[in-house]
Amino acid sequence: MDLPLPHLDRLFDYLVPEDLDDVARPGVRLKVRFSGQLVDAWLLERVADSEHPKLAYLEKVVSGEPVLSAEIARLAREVADRYAGSLADVLRLAVPPRHAAAEKPPKTPTLEELPPSPPADPADPAEPADPSRHVLQQSVASDPLQDHALLQNVTGTVPAGRAGRVGGAGGAGWGRYAAGEAYLRALADGRAPRAVWSAAPGEDWPARLAEAIAVTVESGRGAVAVVADARDLDRLDEALTVRFGGGDRHVALSAALGPAERYRRFLRASRGEVSAVIGNRASAFAPVAALGFVAIWDDGDDLHSEQRSPYPHARQTLLNRAQLAEAAVLVAGFTRTAEGQQLVESGWAREINPGRDEARRIVVQTADDRQLARDPAAVSARLPSVAWEAARESLRAGAPVLVQVPRRGYLPSVACQDCRERARCPHCAGPLALTSSQSIAECRWCARPAGGYTCPRCGGRRLRASVTGVRRTAEEMGRALPGYTVRTSGRDGVLPTVTNEPALVLATPGAEPVAEGGYGAVLLLDTWALLTRADLRAGEEALRRWMNAAALARPGGRVIVVADGSLVVVQALMRWDAAWLAARELAERRELGFPPAARFASLTGTPAAVAEQLAATRLPTGADLLGPIELPDGQERMLVRVTRSHAAELAAALHAAAGVRSARKAPDAVRVQMDPLELL
C-alpha cells in the first residue's frame, strides 16, 4: 500500500471480486480499504490461497495498465532494503504519477483523414527484414560476479548482419581504448561485460554511449542509460537519434517534460514500444524488456543521489538491476570515483582507459596565482602570466576561451577593507555580499540591505572583495581583454553551446557550454575554493569538475590550472590519470574506515528523537557511533559505521526501529540515510 509508515512496509492479502478478475493483474494500481480509509495500492501477485482466514475485497482497479513489472518490483524491494527504506517510497520514485489521457490509445484516422499513398516504384522494392536484428542472444555469465575475464576472452565473432556496425563504431570511437572494441563485441554477442570507463579528453561521450546502446538493441535486448542533468540528456538524446536514424526506438525521460508527457513516454517503454530508455536518476527504474545493458555517465555528480526517502544513488540502483537481470554495466566519466575504483579492484568490473597518446591530446600546465602578469589589466583580472598568455593566444587564433570560476554571483563574500574581518549582517549574522558594482551590500540569508555597515571590530566603513564570483571575474577579464565577446553560464542562465568564434566564456562548475570544435584554452581559476572544502570527497570532486571542463578543449588546446603543481589532485589532472587518484583515495579510505571501504548510516533529528531511534535499533556487532554533530534549528546528527559485511543487517535494524517509532506515533521524525554523500 502507498503509505509512508515504516511499520506497514509489508504485503497485504485481499480478495479479488469476480467483476474485477480480468483487470486485476499484477502491476496495476488499486484502491483498497484499510483502517476505514480508501488508500492507493499496487497489485504485486495473484495467488489461490491465503494464510489469513478473513479478507476484505479490493475496492477498485484504478487502471488496467500494468505499469509495475515483476522485475522493477523486485528491484524496488532490493533498493528499499539496502537503504533502510520502505517499498512504497521506492515505488513512488520508480513509477511516475498516472495520467489517464496518456493511457488511451491514439485515435485511428478515418479513410477521409488518411493522406493519399504515393504510387509504388517497382525499381525500388522494399528491403526485406533482417531476422538477425531481433534474435535474443544467450548470456554466457550465469553468475556475473564470477565472470572476470569477459573482456579478455571475447572471441571477436559478430552475428551476421551486425559486423559492419560494430567494427565501424569501434574503429572511430571505442577503438581509441585498449578494451573498447572488445567491450562492444561482447555486447553484440549478447554477453554481459562490466566495465568502468575513463574517457579521454575531447571524447564525444554521447556518441560512444549511443554506440553501446545501439549495439545492445540490435542484439535484441534493451538498454537503460542515466545522466546527471538536462544538458547531458539532450546531447545523448541527439546522439541516439542520429545513431538510430530517428527517435522511434528510444525515449528520454525527464521531470522537465511535464507529468503528462513523461508518463506517455514511460508507457511506451512499459508496453515494449521502445528498447532503450535514457534519462535522469529516476530512469534507473525504467521498465525495459529483456534488459541487456545499463550505463551511468559521470557517476560522481551529486545529482545522481535522490533527495527523497530512502535517498538511493542511481549508480547503486543500476548495479543492483544489472545483477538481477544479468545485464552489462558501464560506469563512465572523464574521472573516476572511489566507488568505481572499488568495482575494478574487487574484480567485479574491468577498466577501460585511454592510451597515453590519447591522454596527451591536450596540454595541462600549472600556474601560481601569486605570480601575476606584469600587465596592469591582467593583474586586475587575477590572471597569472601563463594563463594570460594562453588566453590571448587562443583568442588571436580565433578560438574561444573557457574560464571556470567556482563561485557564482558578483562578490558573494566581502570583508572590512581595514582589518579584513568578514562582513556580516547586524541582524542575523549572515554573510554580506554585493550583487553588482553599483549595488550596496546585502545579507545572503535575510536579504536585508546593509548600506550603513560599520565593522564591529575596527569601526571601518569600507568593504573589499573576499571571494570573487563569476560575474565580477567576467567584468575584470572583459576590461583586461577588450574587443572580445564575454559570455557567462551559471545559475542565472546555462548556455548549452557556444560557437567557434573568439570569445571569453566564463562558467561555474557544471555549467560549461560545449564549443563547436573545442576551446583553444581552458583556465581553471580559484582552485582553492574546491580543494579546501570540508568534505571527504573534496579532492575527488575537484578533479571531476576540472576534468569535465578540461575535456572541452580542442586537440592541442592548453589547460591552465591555477594551483600548486605538487598537489596530488593537480598531478592527476596533468597526467590525465583519474584512476591513479581514485586508487589512492580508496586506499586511504580503507585505512581510515571511510566509504566505500565501510558503510555509514546518518541519523538526523532532534536529540531526543535520535536517541530514541538508536535505543530501538539492534546495532550489529562492531558498530561504531560517531557524534553527535550539532546542526542548526536544534537538530543533531549521529553517524553509525559498520563493515560492509554488516551493512544489510544495519539497514534492516534501522528500518525496524523506524517502524517501532511510527507504530508508537513518535512526534519527531528522524531522517535515516544510508551511504550519505556528505559525512562532515
Side-chain angles (χ1 to χ4, degrees):
M1 291 183 295
D2 191 5
L3 295 174
L5 302 174
H7 68 282
L8 298 179
D9 184 28
R10 58 187 178 89
L11 300 184
F12 292 84
D13 291 352
Y14 281 81
L15 290 172
V16 179
E18 185 177 354
D19 60 327
L20 297 180
D21 184 62
D22 292 337
V23 293
R25 296 177 293 168
V28 301
R29 306 175 196 258
L30 305 171
K31 290 284 188 180
V32 298
R33 187 73 59 178
F34 183 80
S35 188
Q37 296 181 347
L38 207 59
V39 300
D40 295 326
W42 296 95
L43 177 55
L44 297 185
E45 188 180 9
R46 290 283 299 268
V47 295
D49 302 304
S50 173
E51 60 183 14
H52 302 285
K54 187 177 180 180
L55 299 178
Y57 280 93
L58 299 180
E59 290 286 335
K60 178 183 179 182
V61 174
V62 176
S63 169
E65 185 81 36
V67 292
L68 178 60
S69 66
E71 179 210 354
I72 300 303
R74 187 166 62 252
L75 172 65
R77 183 71 266 176
E78 280 208 2
V79 171
D81 292 342
R82 179 183 179 88
Y83 287 95
S86 299
L87 177 61
D89 290 336
V90 180
L91 292 180
R92 289 192 207 104
L93 305 176
V95 183
R98 176 178 180 254
H99 275 255
E103 294 181 351
K104 297 178 181 178
K107 179 183 177 182
T108 303
T110 62
L111 292 177
E112 292 77 9
E113 295 173 334
L114 288 174
S117 301
D121 184 0
D124 185 20
E127 182 182 355
D130 182 4
S132 68
R133 290 167 59 91
H134 304 285
V135 177
L136 177 62
Q137 302 296 324
Q138 181 180 4
S139 173
V140 301
S142 59
D143 182 2
L145 289 175
Q146 302 293 326
D147 189 18
H148 297 165
L150 253 177
L151 296 182
Q152 293 179 336
N153 299 326
V154 173
T155 63
T157 303
V158 180
R162 294 200 304 275
R165 285 185 178 272
V166 175
W174 285 101
R176 300 171 61 185
Y177 306 89
E181 290 181 319
Y183 188 85
L184 278 194
R185 287 198 298 269
L187 291 178
D189 289 340
R191 301 186 180 188
R194 300 184 294 261
V196 178
W197 172 38
S198 299
E203 178 62 86
D204 184 7
W205 63 265
R208 301 292 83 72
L209 281 185
E211 292 167 13
I213 292 171
V215 167
T216 304
V217 170
E218 289 161 6
S219 73
R221 299 175 296 165
V224 172
V226 175
V227 295
D229 56 34
R231 291 193 310 149
D232 288 346
L233 182 58
D234 291 342
R235 294 182 64 190
L236 182 57
D237 187 21
E238 182 181 357
L240 270 177
T241 301
V242 172
R243 188 64 170 79
F244 283 139
D248 58 344
R249 303 182 69 181
H250 78 282
V251 292
L253 298 180
S254 170
L257 295 170
E261 179 60 23
R262 182 187 177 196
Y263 188 60
R264 187 176 293 108
R265 296 188 184 188
F266 176 88
L267 289 179
R268 290 193 64 197
S270 178
R271 294 167 177 171
E273 297 176 6
V274 295
S275 299
V277 175
I278 60 175
N280 303 133
R281 57 183 179 240
S283 301
F285 296 97
V288 174
L291 184 67
F293 174 73
V294 299
I296 183 170
W297 174 257
D298 200 10
D299 66 302
D301 195 317
D302 57 7
L303 291 177
H304 287 301
S305 181
E306 180 59 54
Q307 300 303 304
R308 293 174 292 174
S309 179
Y311 318 104
H313 196 285
R315 176 186 55 239
Q316 188 59 49
T317 300
L318 290 175
L319 295 180
N320 284 3
R321 188 171 184 183
Q323 188 76 14
L324 290 173
E326 296 187 2
V329 176
L330 187 63
V331 179
F334 287 113
T335 186
R336 183 180 298 180
T337 59
E339 287 79 6
Q341 182 64 22
Q342 187 174 54
L343 295 177
V344 172
E345 294 188 8
S346 67
W348 195 87
R350 298 190 63 86
E351 58 184 351
I352 301 178
N353 293 326
R356 297 312 306 164
D357 291 340
E358 294 294 335
R360 296 191 184 100
R361 287 167 59 90
I362 59 175
V363 179
V364 181
Q365 299 173 273
T366 62
D368 194 330
D369 58 1
R370 293 172 296 181
Q371 301 172 354
L372 296 177
R374 296 180 180 179
D375 191 310
V379 174
S380 66
R382 309 182 344 271
L383 286 178
S385 57
V386 175
W388 172 249
E389 294 170 1
R392 285 199 301 185
E393 290 176 3
S394 175
L395 294 171
R396 289 172 179 172
V401 175
L402 174 63
V403 184
Q404 185 191 77
V405 183
R407 302 289 189 181
R408 63 176 182 264
Y410 190 75
L411 291 179
S413 179
V414 292
C416 175
Q417 175 69 39
D418 300 323
C419 68
R420 305 299 194 262
E421 180 77 9
R422 188 175 184 182
R424 292 190 173 275
C425 176
H427 300 281
C428 68
L432 295 184
L434 288 172
T435 58
S436 71
S437 59
Q438 307 298 327
S439 66
I440 62 174
E442 63 179 32
C443 179
R444 288 168 50 193
W445 291 359
C446 67
R448 290 177 176 172
Y453 173 79
T454 301
C455 177
R457 181 177 180 182
C458 69
R461 302 180 62 87
R462 296 180 302 165
L463 296 174
R464 70 185 302 272
S466 179
V467 175
T468 305
V470 63
R471 288 196 288 113
R472 173 62 179 267
T473 305
E475 184 180 286
E476 294 171 346
M477 294 195 67
R479 288 196 298 261
L481 295 167
Y484 296 102
T485 302
V486 180
R487 308 187 70 181
T488 60
S489 179
R491 183 177 183 179
D492 297 334
V494 177
L495 300 174
T497 59
V498 294
T499 59
N500 188 20
E501 297 176 352
L504 290 167
V505 181
L506 290 91
T508 53
E512 300 92 351
V514 178
E516 300 175 5
Y519 292 96
V522 176
L523 313 182
L524 308 175
L525 304 184
D526 297 341
T527 55
W528 57 268
L530 297 176
L531 293 173
T532 58
R533 294 171 59 213
D535 193 315
L536 175 68
R537 305 174 186 270
E540 178 184 289
E541 177 67 5
L543 182 63
R544 185 185 74 83
R545 297 189 178 191
W546 294 346
M547 279 191 159
N548 286 349
L552 300 177
R554 61 178 54 183
R558 298 175 65 182
V559 176
I560 310 299
V561 52
V562 183
D564 186 351
S566 64
L567 297 175
V568 173
V569 182
V570 179
Q571 286 290 317
L573 175 64
M574 295 177 66
R575 296 158 51 181
W576 201 265
D577 195 350
W580 172 72
L581 180 68
R584 288 177 60 104
E585 285 277 333
L586 183 58
E588 291 177 358
R589 296 186 196 179
R590 284 199 184 106
E591 184 177 351
L592 298 174
F594 283 123
R599 296 286 300 280
F600 273 73
S602 168
L603 311 179
T604 306
T606 63
V610 172
E612 183 183 4
Q613 173 81 17
L614 286 174
T617 304
R618 299 183 61 180
L619 295 176
T621 303
D624 295 329
L625 292 178
L626 307 177
I629 303 171
E630 293 186 4
L631 300 176
D633 301 326
Q635 303 276 302
E636 75 172 21
R637 189 182 192 196
M638 286 289 294
L639 297 175
V640 184
R641 177 172 58 188
V642 296
T643 61
R644 295 182 62 85
S645 59
H646 288 98
E649 183 181 353
L650 174 62
L654 289 172
H655 185 53
V660 171
R661 296 191 71 245
S662 70
R664 294 175 182 171
K665 298 182 179 180
D668 297 324
V670 175
R671 175 176 175 175
V672 179
Q673 191 171 2
M674 295 292 297
D675 301 328
L677 290 181
E678 297 182 357
L679 294 179
L680 304 177

